[in-house]
Amino acid sequence: MAKDIHPSAIIDKTARLGEDVCVGPYSIIGPDCVIGDGCRIGSSVAIHRWVELGRNVQVWHGASLGGDPQDLKYKGARTKVVIGEETVIREFATVNLSTEEGHVTRVGRKCFLMAYSHVAHECSVGDGVIMANSANLAGHVTVEDFAIIGGLTPVHQFCRIGCYAMVGGASAVQKDILPYSKSFGVPARVYGTNSVGLARRGFSEHVRSLLHRAFRILFYSNLNTTQAVERIKSELEQTSEIRHLVEFIEASKRGIAK
């Protein structure tokens, strides 16, 4: 199908637009950007440079993708923003370029970045992630698949949020948030497994029970984290979920929220 480009839009001659792309009034698509088939770019959107959008991405009014990182170390290095297919980026959300040459700021497939959310330099956001209004990721944050971050929640640089985790709104994430957990507070604390979210995502009752037992060992056994992890390894069935939980903890550099 033909492209639908508003006459007031500005498209750099080096940008590549796929089939059936719509670009709204007063939007700008800058140098060396790649816009996948079926993308919908709203009005007054700035896609600055070196941005790749997968198929059927929606970018709403006033969003800014591929702007310079908010990092004083940035000296103009060629980096990249990559947005996965079918992701929705709502009004005035921002996704910045990375700082270091060749690095990528990445948002996965089928994510939902609500209004005024922010993804900073060198962040890696997995598939199916939801960031509610004004959730903000500082630099070098990793968010694993299907995590949900509530509105008005800042995440400290270098923190990780595990898969299928639910972080409540108006929290402050200063340490790593465990996979499969629910957390809330300033600073954010973990309050058990994300039981409703896991059930909705089709996790079996057996797996949910194992995760519940692992969390009880971590948070209610009076063991330190290292001791608790060893007990989880020795006492619980090592399903893929339990192994991922253990590996996530062992890889933590900032420590886990407790």
Side-chain angles (χ1 to χ4, degrees), residues 55-163:
R55 292 184 299 106
N56 300 321
V57 171
Q58 298 180 37
V59 186
W60 288 62
H61 174 81
S64 174
L65 310 179
D68 286 2
Q70 297 175 126
D71 183 348
L72 294 175
K73 298 188 299 297
Y74 184 64
K75 304 301 180 185
R78 186 179 179 108
T79 62
K80 186 184 289 187
V81 166
V82 176
I83 310 291
E85 62 186 45
E86 298 185 33
T87 282
V88 176
I89 300 173
R90 291 302 301 253
E91 296 85 350
F92 301 102
T94 52
V95 182
N96 287 349
L97 291 169
S98 287
T99 300
E100 299 295 332
E101 184 78 33
H103 285 198
V104 177
T105 301
R106 189 179 304 275
V107 177
R109 302 169 56 251
K110 297 185 178 181
C111 294
F112 189 13
L113 276 55
M114 297 187 194
Y116 293 96
S117 58
H118 174 65
V119 179
H121 56 93
E122 270 92 3
C123 283
S124 178
V125 177
D127 296 339
V129 170
I130 297 173
M131 293 176 58
N133 300 315
S134 297
N136 291 279
L137 307 183
H140 303 271
V141 167
T142 297
V143 183
E144 295 184 343
D145 295 349
F146 301 108
I148 300 174
I149 305 173
L152 299 168
T153 295
V155 181
H156 194 282
Q157 57 262 40
F158 294 98
C159 280
R160 300 177 301 148
I161 297 178
C163 61

Side-chain angles (χ1 to χ4, degrees), residues 181-245:
S181 69
K182 59 184 176 185
S183 59
F184 175 74
V186 181
R189 297 180 58 191
V190 170
Y191 290 91
T193 61
N194 179 19
S195 54
V196 173
L198 294 176
R200 287 176 176 172
R201 285 288 179 181
F203 285 79
S204 69
E205 184 176 350
H206 175 64
V207 168
R208 300 198 309 270
S209 176
L210 280 173
L211 289 168
H212 177 72
R213 289 169 61 190
F215 275 58
R216 289 196 64 82
I217 292 170
L218 280 166
F219 298 111
Y220 300 106
S221 64
N222 294 320
L223 300 174
N224 65 36
T225 300
T226 301
Q227 292 168 333
V229 165
E230 291 305 313
R231 184 170 167 185
I232 290 168
K233 288 180 179 179
S234 64
E235 293 188 7
L236 298 185
E237 179 185 348
Q238 296 300 295
T239 64
S240 59
E241 295 83 6
I242 294 297
R243 289 198 305 273
H244 180 60
L245 178 66

Side-chain angles (χ1 to χ4, degrees), residues 23-28 41-46 59-63:
V23 181
Y26 305 107
S27 288
I28 299 171
I41 311 301
S43 58
S44 301
V45 170
V59 186
W60 288 62
H61 174 81

